[in-house]
Amino acid sequence: MQARIRHMTAHDVEQVAALIHASWVSTYGPLMGEAKAAEESAKKHQPAMIASDMKRMHSESFVAEEPTGRIVGYAYAKVTKGVLWLDRLHVAPDHRGSGLAAGLLHAVIVNYIGEGSISLEVIKGNDRAIRFYEREGFMVTDERDACGGIGGVPTLIMRKAISRA
Ligand SMILES: CC(C)(COP(=O)(O)OP(=O)(O)OC[C@H]1O[C@@H](n2cnc3c(N)ncnc32)[C@H](O)[C@@H]1OP(=O)(O)O)[C@@H](O)C(=O)NCCC(=O)NCCS
């Protein structure tokens, strides 16, 4: 079913939190262990935290919504210390390969025309995401050994220049 991309509102918070949690367990479970993925996600993605992130200065939250009202995609970006980060990008499994992820990414970028570049951190072994980002023009600029503070989980930092035209 076709989904429409729009800015996120407070009404979307519960569905977005559930989407992120399911996505973390299925994507990162095989990479860091299901219990750790579930535990980290439960710590980081409480609905109240997602709601507060949405209100953060210099941040943008987008969702993709089916005509039924089901939320099937979510992108969250923020500027921290002068650097634009794509902090979260999740598409429901039944919408992967549909172009929705690119649509969400492009919605973010259009909202940040004027920034020089957009960066992200991706867990090593998340090959589908890495392939997607490469296709979208991101390049690896650094490697880290802790994902957003999760010890022992090696990651890549990827960056893409944002064109002003
Ligand atoms: C990352 C994500 C948003 C990308 O959206 P998507 O709809 O799956 O992306 P696309 O299908 O457009 O592109 C994925 C690419 O990886 C390829 N791919 C699919 N499975 C793959 C695998 N196991 N290994 C490597 N590449 C793979 C696809 O063929 C496609 O490449 P192509 O266009 O050259 O054929 C989505 O997969 C997702 O929500 N994943 C879980 C959450 C996540 O990891 N988010 C990123 C956090 S940094």
Side-chain angles (χ1 to χ4, degrees), residues 48-62:
M49 295 173 181
I50 303 297
S52 132
D53 286 346
M54 193 183 73
K55 293 187 202 141
R56 191 182 188 279
M57 284 276 282
H58 307 305
S59 77
E60 294 286 348
S61 304
F62 289 94

Side-chain angles (χ1 to χ4, degrees), residues 37-49:
E39 186 190 328
E40 290 294 335
S41 179
K43 269 195 270 175
K44 288 168 177 278
H45 306 129
Q46 296 292 329
M49 295 173 181

Side-chain angles (χ1 to χ4, degrees), residues 19-131:
L19 174 73
I20 301 173
H21 189 73
S23 185
W24 257 66
V25 173
S26 64
T27 307
Y28 302 138
L31 300 174
M32 64 173 80
E34 198 164 311
K36 186 168 182 171
E39 186 190 328
E40 290 294 335
S41 179
K43 269 195 270 175
K44 288 168 177 278
H45 306 129
Q46 296 292 329
M49 295 173 181
I50 303 297
S52 132
D53 286 346
M54 193 183 73
K55 293 187 202 141
R56 191 182 188 279
M57 284 276 282
H58 307 305
S59 77
E60 294 286 348
S61 304
F62 289 94
V63 292
E65 180 184 32
E66 285 183 342
T68 56
R70 178 182 167 229
I71 299 294
V72 293
Y74 167 65
Y76 176 66
K78 66 181 182 198
V79 176
T80 306
K81 295 180 188 160
V83 177
L84 171 61
W85 290 92
L86 179 66
D87 235 35
R88 304 184 189 119
L89 179 64
H90 295 275
V91 168
D94 58 328
H95 281 261
R96 292 188 191 152
S98 70
L100 206 54
L104 284 160
L105 172 65
H106 298 167
V108 166
I109 290 175
V110 163
N111 268 260
Y112 284 102
I113 294 288
E115 293 293 331
S117 64
I118 179 164
S119 301
L120 60 88
E121 183 174 21
V122 58
I123 293 180
K124 278 190 191 172
N126 189 357
D127 294 336
R128 181 166 190 141
I130 293 167
R131 171 72 202 125

